[in-house]
Amino acid sequence: MKQEEQPMKGSNSTQHHLIRYKEGLGKYNEHMPELTHAYSEFTKHCFKEGEISEKNKQLIALGISIYSQDEYCIIYHTKGCLDQGCSENEILEAVGVSAAFGGGAAMSQGVTLVQECIQELNKPRH
Protein backbone atom coordinates (compact mmCIF):
# COMPACT_ATOMS: atom_id res chain seq x y z
CA MET A 1 0.00 0.00 0.00
CA LYS A 2 1.40 3.42 -0.96
CA GLN A 3 1.90 5.97 1.80
CA GLU A 4 -0.88 8.24 0.50
CA GLU A 5 -3.29 5.29 0.56
CA GLN A 6 -2.66 4.39 4.20
CA PRO A 7 -5.55 5.09 6.57
CA MET A 8 -5.14 8.24 8.62
CA LYS A 9 -6.22 9.11 12.14
CA GLY A 10 -9.39 11.17 12.17
CA SER A 11 -12.29 10.74 9.82
CA ASN A 12 -10.77 12.85 7.01
CA SER A 13 -7.48 14.38 5.91
CA THR A 14 -8.31 17.79 7.40
CA GLN A 15 -8.86 16.26 10.83
CA HIS A 16 -5.74 14.15 10.36
CA HIS A 17 -3.62 17.25 9.80
CA LEU A 18 -5.16 19.01 12.81
CA ILE A 19 -4.39 15.96 14.98
CA ARG A 20 -0.86 15.71 13.57
CA TYR A 21 -0.21 19.37 14.42
CA LYS A 22 -1.49 18.91 17.98
CA GLU A 23 0.65 15.79 18.44
CA GLY A 24 3.72 17.59 17.10
CA LEU A 25 3.07 20.54 19.37
CA GLY A 26 2.76 18.17 22.33
CA LYS A 27 6.13 16.59 21.55
CA TYR A 28 7.70 20.01 21.12
CA ASN A 29 6.20 21.08 24.45
CA GLU A 30 7.99 18.18 26.18
CA HIS A 31 11.30 19.81 25.26
CA MET A 32 10.35 23.49 25.24
CA PRO A 33 7.47 23.98 27.72
CA GLU A 34 8.19 27.62 28.55
CA LEU A 35 8.45 28.65 24.92
CA THR A 36 5.32 26.69 24.01
CA HIS A 37 3.39 28.30 26.86
CA ALA A 38 4.58 31.80 25.95
CA TYR A 39 3.66 31.29 22.29
CA SER A 40 0.24 29.93 23.25
CA GLU A 41 -0.47 32.89 25.52
CA PHE A 42 0.73 35.34 22.85
CA THR A 43 -1.50 33.88 20.14
CA LYS A 44 -4.46 33.62 22.53
CA HIS A 45 -4.10 37.34 23.22
CA CYS A 46 -3.73 38.17 19.50
CA PHE A 47 -6.92 36.33 18.56
CA LYS A 48 -9.17 37.51 21.39
CA GLU A 49 -12.03 39.89 20.67
CA GLY A 50 -10.94 43.52 20.51
CA GLU A 51 -11.49 46.35 18.05
CA ILE A 52 -11.33 43.59 15.42
CA SER A 53 -13.73 40.68 15.93
CA GLU A 54 -12.47 37.12 16.39
CA LYS A 55 -14.20 36.26 13.12
CA ASN A 56 -12.31 38.93 11.19
CA LYS A 57 -9.04 37.97 12.87
CA GLN A 58 -9.53 34.42 11.61
CA LEU A 59 -10.18 35.71 8.08
CA ILE A 60 -7.01 37.82 8.27
CA ALA A 61 -5.03 34.82 9.54
CA LEU A 62 -6.40 32.64 6.76
CA GLY A 63 -5.36 35.18 4.13
CA ILE A 64 -1.86 35.40 5.57
CA SER A 65 -1.64 31.60 5.79
CA ILE A 66 -2.62 31.24 2.15
CA TYR A 67 -0.16 33.93 1.06
CA SER A 68 2.66 32.29 3.02
CA GLN A 69 1.76 28.79 1.72
CA ASP A 70 1.52 27.34 5.24
CA GLU A 71 -0.78 24.35 4.80
CA TYR A 72 -1.19 23.57 8.51
CA CYS A 73 -2.18 27.18 9.21
CA ILE A 74 -4.50 27.20 6.19
CA ILE A 75 -6.33 24.19 7.62
CA TYR A 76 -6.29 25.56 11.19
CA HIS A 77 -7.60 28.99 10.20
CA THR A 78 -10.18 27.66 7.74
CA LYS A 79 -11.56 25.73 10.71
CA GLY A 80 -11.25 28.88 12.83
CA CYS A 81 -13.25 30.83 10.25
CA LEU A 82 -15.99 28.20 10.24
CA ASP A 83 -15.98 28.03 14.04
CA GLN A 84 -16.42 31.82 14.17
CA GLY A 85 -19.43 31.65 11.85
CA CYS A 86 -17.90 32.67 8.54
CA SER A 87 -19.92 31.73 5.49
CA GLU A 88 -18.31 29.87 2.64
CA ASN A 89 -18.46 33.04 0.54
CA GLU A 90 -16.70 35.11 3.23
CA ILE A 91 -13.91 32.55 3.28
CA LEU A 92 -13.69 32.50 -0.51
CA GLU A 93 -13.51 36.31 -0.60
CA ALA A 94 -10.53 36.09 1.78
CA VAL A 95 -8.99 33.60 -0.68
CA GLY A 96 -9.46 36.16 -3.44
CA VAL A 97 -7.81 38.96 -1.45
CA SER A 98 -4.88 36.67 -0.67
CA ALA A 99 -4.60 35.72 -4.34
CA ALA A 100 -4.47 39.42 -5.26
CA PHE A 101 -1.18 39.56 -3.35
CA GLY A 102 0.10 36.01 -3.75
CA GLY A 103 -0.90 35.26 -7.33
CA GLY A 104 -1.35 31.77 -8.65
CA ALA A 105 0.32 30.03 -5.70
CA ALA A 106 -2.17 31.60 -3.28
CA MET A 107 -5.10 30.97 -5.60
CA SER A 108 -4.14 27.30 -5.96
CA GLN A 109 -4.21 26.84 -2.17
CA GLY A 110 -7.59 28.56 -2.01
CA VAL A 111 -9.27 26.59 -4.77
CA THR A 112 -7.95 23.27 -3.49
CA LEU A 113 -7.05 23.05 0.20
CA VAL A 114 -9.44 25.69 1.55
CA GLN A 115 -12.42 24.30 -0.34
CA GLU A 116 -11.45 20.76 0.70
CA CYS A 117 -11.37 21.88 4.33
CA ILE A 118 -14.78 23.53 4.06
CA GLN A 119 -16.24 20.38 2.55
CA GLU A 120 -14.58 17.99 5.01
CA LEU A 121 -15.38 20.03 8.09
CA ASN A 122 -18.92 20.22 6.75
CA LYS A 123 -19.70 23.29 8.81
CA PRO A 124 -20.10 26.21 6.40
CA ARG A 125 -22.68 28.68 7.63
CA HIS A 126 -24.52 30.75 5.06
Side-chain angles (χ1 to χ4, degrees):
M1 179 182 293
K2 293 180 183 176
Q3 183 176 355
E4 63 269 11
E5 295 174 359
Q6 293 177 358
M8 295 184 273
K9 296 178 189 176
S11 62
N12 60 48
S13 63
T14 299
Q15 289 176 340
H16 167 74
H17 284 90
L18 290 169
I19 290 167
R20 190 165 176 222
Y21 171 78
K22 288 179 182 181
E23 289 173 347
L25 188 59
K27 289 177 184 176
Y28 185 84
N29 185 54
E30 291 172 12
H31 299 281
M32 304 296 291
E34 290 178 16
L35 191 145
T36 305
H37 176 74
Y39 179 75
S40 176
E41 289 300 309
F42 172 71
T43 58
K44 186 187 305 180
H45 180 75
C46 290
F47 281 90
K48 75 178 184 178
E49 190 85 20
E51 295 297 318
I52 300 173
S53 69
E54 290 181 55
K55 176 181 175 178
N56 286 330
K57 288 180 179 186
Q58 286 295 332
L59 286 165
I60 291 166
L62 177 59
I64 294 167
S65 299
I66 293 168
Y67 178 79
S68 62
Q69 301 289 300
D70 185 333
E71 292 188 1
Y72 283 98
C73 286
I74 292 169
I75 292 167
Y76 187 84
H77 292 294
T78 300
K79 181 180 183 324
C81 286
L82 293 170
D83 290 347
Q84 288 300 315
C86 292
S87 70
E88 183 173 356
N89 284 344
E90 287 174 310
I91 293 169
L92 295 178
E93 280 189 34
V95 167
V97 171
S98 185
F101 286 91
M107 182 60 98
S108 69
Q109 292 287 12
V111 301
T112 56
L113 184 56
V114 172
Q115 291 187 118
E116 178 183 307
C117 290
I118 292 169
Q119 181 181 7
E120 288 184 2
L121 293 168
N122 200 24
K123 291 166 64 172
R125 297 173 183 140
H126 300 279

